Each structure stands twice: as structure tokens, then as C-alpha cells.
Amino acid sequence: MEVLVIGIAGGTGSGKTTLTERLKERFGPDVSVLYHDNYYKKHTGMTYEERSKLNYDHPDAFDSDLFIRDLKALKRGETIHCPVYDYTIHNRSDKTLEIRPTRVVIVEGILIFENAEVRDLMDIKIFVDTDADVRILRRVLRDVKERERTLDSVVSQYLTTVKPMHEAFVEPSKKYADVIVPLGGHNDVALDMIIERIRVELGK
């Protein structure tokens, strides 16, 4: 089975997940998703306060070796058991997620185009481009409502790590994209074009 790997990158709150979910809805069992966020390094022996101060927007925050190993396994048609990250505790949980190989594997994350070895495993690279003010508002709402963060902590994290790391690593990685999608999953024209490309690949 030939596996088509699609990378969906972009800044925090850009609409990556919405685009991913709409593609998953369209192709159903033909698509599986590998979330880069699940591959944050595990930090044992650190307190919650210490973990909350780490820079999660730097490439070094991720277990890239494990991520690459799992993505290669999916490309070979093998089932993997990826880690599961728990945002409420700033650490990996004890759970794993079984991901079976499918015709299309979507890889989603803010920094997946920054790593050349990861980029080289992708067949189509999509960058979701959304204005910074929209992204920060989405992040605030998400982190407060879904990840049990305080407003002050979200703003502080954005100013000290998220924004500078976006400018240093995420935005420059846009040059590696095959397709740049403004407005993310709400761009129906771009979505239709991506769907058609996937349909062609699946029909080969």
C-alpha cells in the first residue's frame, strides 16, 4: 500500500486542526492523523511549575527521533502506538494512541516543516496562514476553555515564547510549503483543491 503523507503546518491558532478535521470528515477511514504535539518530550522529576516554564515552541521541545521513527513506520504500512500529551499537566500522559496505516496520513504541527528529515517524508506540504491577531485570540479561548490555563499565563507564554518562536522558526518554514492556505479550514476554495488532489492520488 502506497501511503500519501500530507503535512499541515502553521502558527498556533491558525486553523490547522479545522483543516485537518474537514479532510478527515471527507475521506473517513482512508485518513489517519499524526499530531506533532503528542511528541513533546516527557519530563519526569520536574514539578508542574517547572514544566509550565519550559519553552514548548522551540524545536528542541519535541522528541524528533521518536516522531520520525513512527512516521516512517506508518509509511511502511505498520501500526504505531504514539504517545499522548496532556496539556493540563504540561507532560505526557501514561496513555498511548494506536494509529493504523491508511492511504493518507496527515501530519499536523507548528514546526513540522522546520525539520528537514521530517519534511522529506512528506508528499504534500500545506502551510495555514492566518493573521497574528486572529491566532492569539483563538489561542486564548482554547487554552482557557480547554486546557485549564489562566488568562495571565496564556498571555505571558505568548509574549515570552510563542511569538518569538513563531518569528524564529514557524514563519520562516513557510518557504518549504507546496501550498499556502489563508484562513485555514474555512477556505473552501483551497479545501476543494486539496480534496481533489487527494482524490487523484487515491485513484492511482
Side-chain angles (χ1 to χ4, degrees):
M1 177 178 69
E2 282 209 25
V3 177
L4 179 72
V5 178
I6 301 173
I8 299 181
T12 181
S14 61
K16 300 183 301 299
T17 301
T18 301
L19 180 58
T20 297
E21 288 174 350
R22 293 190 69 181
L23 291 173
K24 184 101 173 69
E25 288 171 7
R26 174 62 180 79
F27 293 101
D30 283 326
V31 173
S32 57
V33 183
L34 191 63
Y35 292 100
H36 197 206
D37 282 7
N38 276 328
Y39 288 82
Y40 279 122
K41 291 175 180 175
K42 187 175 181 66
H43 296 286
T44 54
M46 294 180 68
T47 65
Y48 174 85
E49 287 73 21
E50 289 171 330
R51 293 195 302 272
S52 67
K53 294 175 182 176
L54 294 174
N55 183 351
Y56 291 95
D57 293 86
H58 191 281
D60 290 345
F62 295 90
D63 188 343
S64 295
D65 291 341
L66 178 60
F67 183 75
I68 291 167
R69 189 159 65 243
D70 281 353
L71 182 52
K72 285 181 175 179
L74 284 173
K75 289 198 73 166
R76 291 193 301 267
E78 301 170 10
T79 297
I80 66 167
H81 293 84
C82 83
V84 175
Y85 189 78
D86 186 342
Y87 297 96
T88 63
I89 62 171
H90 292 291
N91 210 354
R92 278 190 200 171
S93 70
D94 295 326
K95 301 176 183 177
T96 59
L97 179 65
E98 181 178 273
I99 302 179
R100 298 179 181 274
T102 52
R103 297 284 305 282
V104 178
V105 173
I106 295 176
V107 181
E108 183 202 304
I110 63 172
L111 290 169
I112 57 172
F113 295 168
E114 185 275 336
N115 186 307
E117 191 172 357
V118 174
R119 281 199 312 271
D120 289 345
L121 294 171
M122 299 173 189
D123 301 294
I124 302 173
K125 296 181 288 295
I126 300 168
F127 190 95
V128 181
D129 202 14
T130 304
D131 289 345
D133 54 350
V134 175
R135 291 190 291 103
I136 179 56
L137 287 172
R138 287 176 179 170
R139 179 166 180 131
V140 167
L141 290 172
R142 181 196 67 194
D143 284 5
V144 171
K145 288 183 177 180
E146 300 176 17
R147 300 181 181 177
E148 302 177 15
R149 309 281 172 80
T150 65
L151 179 58
D152 285 347
S153 72
V154 176
V155 172
S156 174
Q157 185 181 35
Y158 181 81
L159 293 175
T160 57
T161 61
V162 178
K163 186 175 184 290
M165 294 301 99
H166 177 89
E167 294 169 350
F169 297 107
V170 182
E171 190 67 23
S173 76
K174 182 165 62 175
K175 67 186 176 186
Y176 299 112
D178 302 305
V179 181
I180 296 175
V181 179
L183 306 178
H186 301 292
N187 188 326
D188 291 335
V189 173
L191 179 66
D192 288 344
M193 293 174 63
I194 295 165
I195 286 172
E196 182 59 27
R197 174 63 190 276
I198 295 172
R199 283 182 64 252
V200 169
E201 293 294 331
L202 290 177
K204 288 181 179 179

